[in-house]
Structures are given as C-alpha cells and as structure tokens.
Amino acid sequence: MGLNNPLKIVMLAAEASPFAKVGGLGDVIGSLPAALGNLGEKVSVIIPAYRMVLSGSFDLHPCGKVSGFDVPMKSDSAYASVYQTRFERTDVDIYLIESPRYFDRSGIYTDSETGDEYPDSMERYVFFMKSALELLPRLEQPVDILHCHDSHTSLIPGLLKINHRADPFYAGTRTLLTIHNIAYQGIYSKESLDYAGIDSSHFFPMSPFEYWGKVNFLKAGIELADKVNTVSRTYSMEIRTSPEFGMGMEEVLRRREDDISGIINGIDCNEWNPETDPLIPACYSIHDLSGKAECKKQLLQYFGMPQLPGRVPLIGIVSRLTDQKGFDLIQEAVGEITNLDLQLVVLGTGQPQYHSLFRQLASKYPQKIAARFSFDNALAHRIEAGSDMFLMPSRFEPCGLNQLYSFRYGTVPVVRATGGLADTVVPYGSGSGTGFSFSGYSSSEMMIAIRQALTVYSDPARWRALQIRIMSQDWSWDKPAREYVQLYRSIHL
Ligand code: ADP
C-alpha cells in the first residue's frame, strides 16, 4: 500500500512521546507516524517546543530551511523559531515550534506547581496552529493530509478554509480530525477569533465558530474537517448517542454521522515489550514468566510493602488522577477492597482530591496500598511488569492504552466496559476472555469483577492460561495504521 504514490501526511498535536507526553495522545503521536512510514507513507509531525523538550536530551537542531517568522496575534505579534529532529530509529521528521512567551514553562497544559491550567491556553494553541500553517509552505513540501488531534489543533480546518483559502500551497490539502478525548473542547471567548485572525462575521448562531455565545475549538474542527474519527468504535458511538459521553457535541456529531469513524489505537511494541524492556528489573516472555515474579518482588520493595503470605495479587494503576478514571468507585469500595487479600499500587498525578484520597489510604493501610504522585515513565513500566492485575474503572475511556500494555506484560486488566475498554477487553467466562469487566458505573459491579479476578487468580493453572492468552494478542499499530491509510485515501483528492 502507498509505496508507489506515498501520501504526504503532517500530524499536528500538543504532545508526542518521547518529547512531551501527558497521556495517551503523546503515545499515539509518538508511534503512529512510524507505523504509517512502514506502510510507505511520508509522515512528519509538528508540536510545540516546550521547555522540557528544549532542556531534554534530544538531538534538536535549528530547522535548516526556516529559522523563524513573526505570527500575528490580535493587535500584536509573536516570533516562532523552528527546531527539527527525527523520531529515533525512523525517518519521521518532527518540527518543534518555539516561543519563549508561550512554551517556556514548567508544564505542558498545567502549571506543575499549582496544577492549574495555564490561563492563556487559547493564545498558546492559536499561536501554535497559526505557526504550523505558516511553517509548512516555507518547508516547500506539499501536504496531502493535515491530521489534527484534539482541540489544540482543531481550529486548523477553519483556518485553512478562511485564512488560507486562496493559498495555492494548500489547494490540495485535506484534513482529518482525531478526537482523543471529547471532554477537552477548548471553549473560549469570542475574542479568540481575533487571535486566530478569523473575521467576526463568521461568528453567528449555528455557525461552526459559535457555541452558546462562545467559540468552541473542537466543535469548529468537527464541523469543518473533511473527516473525523475517534480512537475506538464504541466511543465513536457513545459520543453521538448520549449527552453523558458527547458532552454537548452529540448533535454536532450526529450532523456529520457519515464522516465519523472509530479506529482503535495501536501500541509501540518496541517500547512496551517485557522481553527487551530496559526499564524493568527482569525481562520475561510468554514462555517463561519467572522474570515477572522478580519484577513483582522488586516493585513491592520499591513501594515499601511486604510480600504477604499466600498467593496475594498485586493490582496496579497508572493514570491521570481525574474524575474520568473512576476513582470515586475505589473511594466508595475502600472498606471492601482492604478486607480482601490483595495489594494495590498507584502512580498518577491530577486532581488534589485523589492525591489526598490515595495518600490517606496508603497511610491507613501501609501493607496493602501504596501510591506515588509523579509522572514517571520508568515506574509506569515497572508497574505494568510487576503487577498481576491492572485496574481501570473509567467513567468513560476513548481508547485507553494501559489495558493494551497490560496484555503485553501478562497483567490482567479489570476494566469498566466503556469506549475502548469495551472494544479491547473480552470478558472472562466467554472462553476467549482477556480480562474482567463490568458495565454499570457502580462500586458494587466493580467489586464483582475484582472478586471474579481474585477467584481465577487463586487457581495458578487457570491464571497462567489467561496470561498466555492475553500475551499472545497483537495490539501493534499494523492494523490500525492500515485503517488510517484507508481513511486518508478516502479524503485525498
Ligand atoms: P489518557 O490519555 O486518558 O490519560 P490512556 O490510557 O490513553 O489515558 O494513556 C495514558 C498514558 O499515560 C499511558 O501511556 C500511561 O502509562 C501514561 N501515564 C499516565 N499517568 C502517568 C504517570 N503518572 N506516570 C507515567 N505515565 C503515566
């Protein structure tokens, strides 16, 4: 596919692993481009040059073709400098847009000291989008597909249609918007259009740029992109059919029903591979899981927890600590959880209420519950490797990646069957089960799934068979990347 006539695809996003990552978006932008490259397509990526990128140990250099340019921002302007490098072991170029005013900060979206979102998010990402559209013609490489991701880049289809309408460089360019999480829509005052350079005549009731008297970047993208997709089939249906999931976008999505699809995320099977992972204390494979026992032992030691007598499972959680992820269910069920023979380790950062919840639980039940509140990729790998089960009781989950990493590491997911979790975890008991799941968002249903997992865990032969089944699945990008190519080709001129 693609080899004779490669598509020229540019991805625009706020994150790309390993340069800058907060959640699954970063993983996807860090791995999908290489998979598309393997299929013969020509992909490059543009992200902001946050402080953590510039001060990290990446081999960045100033972009040879374009050193920088001024970008008008309302009545003012800001200078964009351009850096460039490649994703390791690939021929995927990544361009990084620097601006001391907008990106030289300790965090990506939020102030790492206070946890608060930066008050000028709108300006930051409008600047990023306009800079990216200014950069591409200067690079003199034609673009077939601009692949936008989430609200930080979802004004791009509108900017193309309005500000770059007459630009011959973009005459053959089509747009795809991928929604990774509809909860973050980028809703700002009407003034944001002044920053974007979009005339206020475009702001009127029911126009793509108007949403209850404000401007909603995601809505504008949904209305104006040539196609839209989300990161699982179930989530693509949930957000169209229920206000609980669609968060005000259901009607807008329904209007574009024929242009919306769901493509499940793949994973980077080099980074997440227990046979070669340099971040875990002992490697292991489907044929010999002895290294996993060593990983568990060292993980318990790291968290200062004892190895309890008998066959006691360790449950892992690695997550943003937000309402989306279902921690209120754990809070509700804590009495029951701590009465069971199990241990729980948590890694995450997010809402202060969940930091204090897990801090309190860890100090009340030091033998059973431990937590770390940081962003720590190496520890995330060690938790995947050292845990027996992985808990994701999400209220909603567009795709979810940790259940897929868990599969690779022989760590059995216990999940709420929503969005991508419903599409990837087959409930145990069906013969081909790959995890334990529950449907209703309730702590009692969650506890039924956890108890079922404990029952199977207590039988080593059944557990081993389950581990073999989950480890032998293929969740690589191979299939989803082919689906993206089909989608690109369906809009390509
Ligand atoms: P979301 O994008 O909603 O946060 P996903 O499951 O799609 O959820 O992806 C989360 C990604 O972020 C995974 O790679 C997970 O390991 C990682 N992650 C989340 N929190 C942390 C953390 N505190 N430290 C390290 N990695 C984390």
Side-chain angles (χ1 to χ4, degrees):
M1 207 185 297
L3 267 179
N4 297 326
N5 181 21
L7 285 171
K8 290 171 266 325
I9 302 151
V10 176
M11 300 226 179
L12 303 134
E15 304 174 33
S17 175
F19 302 96
K21 165 176 157 180
V22 171
L25 172 65
D27 293 275
V28 171
I29 309 303
S31 51
L32 172 58
L36 293 165
N38 290 340
L39 296 175
E41 314 302 351
K42 179 81 194 106
V43 191
S44 50
V45 174
I46 310 180
I47 66 165
Y50 304 105
R51 185 191 295 166
M52 66 174 66
V53 183
L54 294 173
S55 62
S57 54
F58 305 110
D59 182 26
L60 304 186
H61 45 90
C63 176
K65 272 196 168 151
V66 188
S67 55
F69 43 83
D70 273 314
V71 177
M73 292 293 288
K74 204 178 170 195
S75 47
D76 191 5
S77 73
Y79 192 74
S81 317
V82 186
Y83 287 82
Q84 177 179 5
T85 187
R86 280 201 165 160
F87 286 91
E88 251 182 43
R89 293 183 298 276
T90 74
D91 60 0
V92 177
D93 290 314
I94 175 162
Y95 298 93
L96 302 113
I97 292 178
E98 190 213 7
S99 157
R101 189 201 296 183
Y102 291 126
F103 300 126
D104 183 18
R105 312 196 179 175
S106 62
I108 292 185
Y109 307 119
T110 54
D111 187 322
S112 37
E113 299 289 299
T114 62
D116 294 337
E117 187 184 336
Y118 290 122
D120 58 351
S121 306
M122 177 278 288
E123 267 188 66
R124 298 174 78 218
Y125 289 103
V126 165
F127 170 78
F128 172 63
M129 288 186 269
K130 289 175 76 170
S131 305
L133 290 178
E134 288 298 323
L135 169 64
L136 288 166
R138 290 173 160 86
L139 292 175
E140 296 169 347
Q141 296 160 5
V143 183
D144 296 320
I145 306 287
L146 276 180
H147 187 164
C148 311
H149 297 267
D150 277 351
S151 67
H152 318 104
T153 57
S154 61
L155 215 51
I156 293 261
L159 290 171
L160 270 191
K161 284 193 158 72
I162 294 170
N163 297 3
H164 294 267
R165 190 183 57 247
D167 187 342
F169 178 82
Y170 287 115
T173 304
R174 292 292 172 267
T175 52
L176 171 66
L177 171 65
T178 299
I179 301 172
H180 297 258
N181 195 333
I182 212 159
Y184 303 99
Q185 299 178 2
I187 300 175
Y188 303 111
S189 72
K190 185 181 167 227
E191 193 194 12
S192 55
L193 293 183
D194 300 336
Y195 284 93
I198 293 175
D199 192 84
S200 59
S201 61
H202 292 280
F203 185 84
F204 54 88
M206 301 303 287
S207 89
F209 297 102
E210 195 273 348
Y211 181 73
W212 299 103
K214 298 206 162 193
V215 178
N216 179 324
F217 283 11
L218 196 67
K219 173 183 180 262
I222 295 170
E223 298 220 26
L224 298 173
D226 290 301
K227 289 253 163 122
V228 178
N229 81 300
T230 66
V231 287
S232 71
R233 218 150 272 168
T234 295
Y235 190 63
S236 79
M237 270 154 355
E238 287 170 339
I239 57 176
R240 264 177 281 173
T241 46
S242 142
E244 188 196 337
F245 293 101
M247 301 187 174
M249 289 296 101
E250 319 74 80
E251 192 50 49
V252 181
L253 289 162
R254 273 201 294 272
R255 283 206 294 274
R256 298 232 39 205
E257 201 139 52
D258 294 342
D259 295 318
I260 296 179
S261 57
I263 301 180
I264 201 81
N265 288 332
I267 61 170
D268 181 337
C269 293
N270 293 321
E271 185 189 345
W272 297 93
N273 182 356
E275 291 185 40
T276 54
D277 191 337
L279 301 174
I280 62 177
C283 288
Y284 58 92
S285 75
I286 193 166
H287 308 295
D288 177 6
L289 285 163
S290 50
K292 186 165 176 67
E294 181 59 27
C295 290
K296 178 174 178 178
K297 195 173 137 208
Q298 294 207 22
L299 188 60
L300 287 172
Q301 264 170 16
Y302 171 82
F303 275 103
M305 285 205 289
Q307 262 189 305
L308 297 174
R311 193 172 153 80
V312 177
L314 176 61
I315 301 183
I317 292 179
V318 179
S319 181
R320 291 182 295 115
L321 299 180
T322 63
D323 292 333
Q324 174 197 339
K325 301 293 182 175
F327 296 114
D328 50 337
L329 298 189
I330 297 180
Q331 185 162 22
E332 253 175 64
V334 95
E336 242 184 295
I337 291 175
T338 49
N339 272 333
L340 292 170
D341 265 341
L342 57 77
Q343 290 169 299
L344 177 67
V345 292
V346 180
L347 169 65
T349 58
Q351 290 169 225
Q353 74 200 80
Y354 298 120
H355 286 227
S356 63
L357 167 68
F358 286 113
R359 196 169 285 124
Q360 278 167 20
L361 294 179
S363 79
K364 197 161 169 204
Y365 307 98
Q367 306 227 322
K368 291 200 154 177
I369 300 181
R372 289 285 180 282
F373 307 105
S374 62
F375 193 92
D376 185 339
N377 185 47
L379 184 55
H381 280 246
R382 279 167 23 229
I383 292 176
E384 284 293 3
S387 304
D388 298 294
M389 301 167 191
F390 198 95
L391 181 60
M392 299 176 77
S394 304
R395 189 179 279 275
F396 65 92
E397 195 60 77
C399 175
L401 289 169
N402 279 111
Q403 80 278 20
L404 306 180
Y405 301 147
S406 298
F407 288 148
R408 288 278 279 169
Y409 286 76
T411 303
V412 178
V414 179
V415 306
R416 168 139 189 267
T418 179
L421 296 173
D423 291 357
T424 54
V425 178
V426 180
Y428 192 82
S430 60
S432 56
T434 56
F436 299 88
S437 64
F438 58 101
S439 320
Y441 189 74
S442 81
S443 56
S444 57
E445 287 202 33
M446 177 183 77
M447 288 315 298
I448 291 171
I450 291 179
R451 283 176 191 281
Q452 196 193 4
L454 295 193
T455 305
V456 179
Y457 182 79
S458 69
D459 179 339
R462 276 170 85 197
W463 194 256
R464 177 89 180 90
L466 177 54
Q467 285 180 304
I468 289 176
R469 188 152 64 233
I470 63 176
M471 290 177 86
S472 49
Q473 301 176 91
D474 176 8
W475 289 105
S476 71
W477 271 110
D478 194 44
K479 185 167 174 279
R482 284 172 201 280
E483 293 181 45
Y484 271 107
V485 172
Q486 269 181 11
L487 191 51
Y488 297 143
R489 296 229 173 249
S490 75
I491 49 175
H492 178 47
L493 287 180

